[in-house]
Amino acid sequence: EVQLLESGGRLVQPGGSLRLSCAASGFTFNNFAMTWVRQAPGKGLEWVATVNGAGGKTFHADHVKGRFTISRDSSNNTLSLNMNSLRAEDTATYYCATVRTWGPEGPVDNWGQGALVTVSS
Amino acid sequence: DIQMTQSPSTLSASVGDRVTITCRASQSITIWVAWYQQKPGKAPKLLVYDVSSLDSGVPARFRGSGSGTEFTLTITSLQPDDFATYYCQHYDSYKWTFGQGTKVEI
């Protein structure tokens, strides 16, 4: 059974930094792309970033480019999201998820429970 | 960038109704369209991928169709468990886009 367990979500001040982690199990980690999708309170889904199965290629949404960095560590089956220069509009639940394909051109088929990031002074 | 415009934003229906949700892409796209269902406080669930392929375990009353710039999710006979919010998604080789969501309510 695929399990994705996010951690690291908390209250942070505007301009601050945060690192989200996602511990993955139940599947061959290197065979699938991984992604972060967020959802602001009461709002819709918004793609944040995706990394391919090998970790060599990353893709970031324009609204986080230059501030957020997605990465993966196959030695401990962990997906990470480094977030810098956080803004109030980054407040959201961040979902870690698997992509059905090795590259980014596939649907999301497994989701974590989400990690809440609140950016406020 | 490709935009996905989903309609309607809210849909009122009854058990047994046929329901159709539409997503229009800002330009012609390939087969890389998916549909998700989300219930309050829960993570989304994949229903349909590659426009019309039903994910494993998803009831046959859910149908995806479309091509070019117009894509639809149809629920042929709405069941009590189907009241939820639905999202379309275009996935590409370098960028993803979600529709704004459609809330299906009683």
Side-chain angles (χ1 to χ4, degrees), chain A residues 35 37 39 43-47 50 59-62 65 95 98-100 104-109 111-113, chain B residues 1 32 34 36 38 41-46 48-50 55-56 87 89 91-100:
Chain A
T35 191
V37 174
Q39 187 169 36
K43 302 297 183 181
L45 301 174
E46 185 176 45
W47 172 63
T50 301
F59 311 85
H60 296 81
D62 290 342
K65 204 169 287 185
Y95 291 103
T98 64
V99 182
R100 184 157 288 181
E105 59 281 351
V108 179
D109 58 355
W111 302 72
Q113 85 288 350
Chain B
D1 291 356
W32 293 337
Y36 302 86
Q38 187 179 32
K42 301 290 187 182
K45 173 189 172 184
L46 177 65
V48 172
Y49 63 97
D50 293 353
D55 198 32
S56 176
Y87 295 91
Q89 180 210 15
Y91 41 96
D92 205 335
S93 56
Y94 66 100
K95 191 169 284 193
W96 291 4
T97 305
F98 286 95
Q100 302 93 324

Side-chain angles (χ1 to χ4, degrees), chain B residues 3-32:
Chain B
Q3 308 298 321
M4 299 292 279
T5 303
Q6 193 173 333
S7 62
S9 55
T10 306
L11 189 158
S12 297
S14 302
V15 172
D17 283 355
R18 182 184 182 93
V19 164
T20 298
I21 301 168
T22 299
C23 241
R24 286 187 173 86
S26 56
Q27 63 190 78
S28 184
I29 58 179
T30 60
I31 65 168
W32 293 337

Side-chain angles (χ1 to χ4, degrees), chain B residues 63-83:
Chain B
R63 294 181 189 170
S65 63
S67 64
T69 61
E70 188 159 321
F71 301 88
T72 59
L73 175 70
T74 300
I75 308 171
T76 56
S77 178
L78 199 66
Q79 298 302 301
D81 192 48
D82 301 338
F83 291 96

